[in-house]
Amino acid sequence: MCSLSVHAQTNVETTIPVTTQPLGEVLIERRLTANAEVVAKNNSQLSTEITAVVQAVEVELGDAVTQGDLLVRLDATDVNLQWEQAKANIQAAQARLTQAELRLERANELKQSQYISADDLLARETDVAVLRADLLRLKVAEKSAARQVEKTRIHAPFNGVVTARQAQLGQLLVTGSPVLNLVQRDAAQVHAKIPSHTAAQLAAANRLEFVALDQTVPVELLQLSGVIEAQSALQTARFKPLAAVLVGQSGQLVWTVAGQMLPADLVIKRDGQLGFFTANGDRAQFNPLPEAQEGRPAVVNFTVNQPVIIGGRERLQDGQAIMIK
């Protein structure tokens, strides 16, 4: 009788007291990162539109300019002469047209008295029509000459910073020769390459930041490319910085999604697997997390009301009897 009593006592299952908390209350933010850089909205190489000699360069490397500022002046002597010639041609054509119109007016008066033939009248009408068309052509040529004069003054197309100077005083530049590089200093954007499997989390992010060295700048998502790059499986995303950034800065895009990560201290290893314990009635249930890493928060895809075992989890085994305090 004594030996049977001892044997019965050794087979009594140990019940471990534990405390639980709903999964939704213990989850923390998920922090995701991607390489990013600040890109100018416009980074332009300004070139000449005519062949001319550089008369003056009004800016130097590193100068900040405002839209409309004069940057480079080219010698306008030749194009000014062409413009003057075009204006003189218009005056001559206008005089010829005026004379032809007077002759046509006189011909119409003579027609009433039948002192002019129908052929002569038609010829004078034709002369007026031809001279009007010629005057129109010359006016177009005058506008073209005026436009050539405008091209001798190169102005800043946007607010920016001069990052390179190719034009030199006295240099003969042909059409298309580069003169300056201008980088837009406002409306800069942050571009990032986002892994396609995490790109969907951008829309759900409760915080988006560009982090470079000791600077953290909040950003706003402008557009996520709908195309995945075949070799890298990345998608390009563009962001609007909500504070001042410098074009060319490199750093990381950091975005956080609330309530997706299980804290690292709740991740426990059992039989070589990482996971966490939940209460299943009066039993402890071990839930493996195949992608978890030891010492780091883990992504979980369980219902938020799942009772997670917080206190007493260190001594638990899968299926062990528990008593929730």
Side-chain angles (χ1 to χ4, degrees), residues 204-217:
N206 62 332
R207 188 166 67 252
L208 285 163
E209 295 173 329
F210 172 68
V211 179
L213 298 177
D214 57 349
Q215 183 185 24
T216 300
V217 176

Side-chain angles (χ1 to χ4, degrees), residues 93 97 101 104 126-137:
L97 176 60
E101 288 174 339
L104 177 59
T126 302
D127 288 342
V128 170
V130 170
L131 288 171
R132 283 176 178 169
D134 189 52
L135 180 60
L136 181 60
R137 176 184 62 82

Side-chain angles (χ1 to χ4, degrees), residues 7 62 65 79 96 112 122 142 154 181 185 192 212 228 237 255 269 283 297 301 303-304:
H7 180 73
V65 299
V79 289
R96 290 192 297 271
Q112 304 299 324
L122 179 61
E142 187 270 337
I154 300 176
N181 276 73
R185 63 186 179 185
I228 299 175
W255 70 103
K269 181 178 285 188
R283 298 285 173 175
N301 295 307
T303 57
V304 293

Side-chain angles (χ1 to χ4, degrees), residues 31-231:
R31 187 175 185 270
L32 301 168
T33 63
N35 292 332
E37 63 176 337
V38 181
V39 178
K41 186 174 183 179
N42 290 291
N43 185 348
S44 302
Q45 183 181 73
L46 306 183
S47 304
T48 61
E49 297 182 68
I50 62 172
T51 297
V53 173
V54 177
Q55 195 172 63
V57 180
E58 305 291 348
V59 292
E60 295 296 337
L61 183 65
D63 284 352
V65 299
T66 303
Q67 183 178 12
D69 284 355
L70 179 62
L71 305 179
V72 177
R73 286 189 289 117
L74 304 177
D75 185 4
T77 303
D78 292 338
V79 289
N80 272 324
L81 290 173
Q82 294 170 7
W83 189 23
E84 293 300 325
Q85 181 65 58
K87 289 189 284 187
N89 290 339
I90 287 177
Q91 290 178 351
Q94 184 65 63
R96 290 192 297 271
L97 176 60
T98 300
Q99 183 186 35
E101 288 174 339
L102 289 173
R103 291 180 64 192
L104 177 59
E105 183 180 348
R106 178 62 178 160
N108 282 321
E109 292 174 356
L110 293 174
K111 178 184 177 183
Q112 304 299 324
S113 304
Q114 296 184 349
Y115 286 125
I116 188 171
S117 67
D119 287 343
D120 288 341
L121 181 61
L122 179 61
R124 294 188 183 185
E125 289 175 344
T126 302
D127 288 342
V128 170
V130 170
L131 288 171
R132 283 176 178 169
D134 189 52
L135 180 60
L136 181 60
R137 176 184 62 82
L138 292 173
K139 285 183 177 180
V140 172
E142 187 270 337
K143 289 181 179 179
S144 178
R147 180 72 184 98
Q148 293 298 100
V149 173
E150 291 178 2
K151 292 176 182 178
T152 63
R153 301 290 185 267
I154 300 176
H155 297 269
F158 46 77
N159 300 337
V161 175
V162 178
T163 58
R165 169 187 164 177
Q166 293 88 8
Q168 303 298 319
L169 188 63
Q171 181 183 8
L172 175 63
L173 299 178
V174 298
T175 302
S177 297
V179 291
L180 296 170
N181 276 73
L182 193 64
V183 175
Q184 190 168 357
R185 63 186 179 185
D186 50 13
Q189 297 180 352
V190 175
H191 289 191
K193 297 290 188 179
I194 311 296
S196 59
H197 67 280
T198 61
Q201 301 290 340
L202 284 174
N206 62 332
R207 188 166 67 252
L208 285 163
E209 295 173 329
F210 172 68
V211 179
L213 298 177
D214 57 349
Q215 183 185 24
T216 300
V217 176
V219 297
E220 177 183 311
L221 178 64
L222 294 175
Q223 186 181 53
L224 174 66
S225 170
V227 176
I228 299 175
E229 297 176 11
Q231 294 183 344

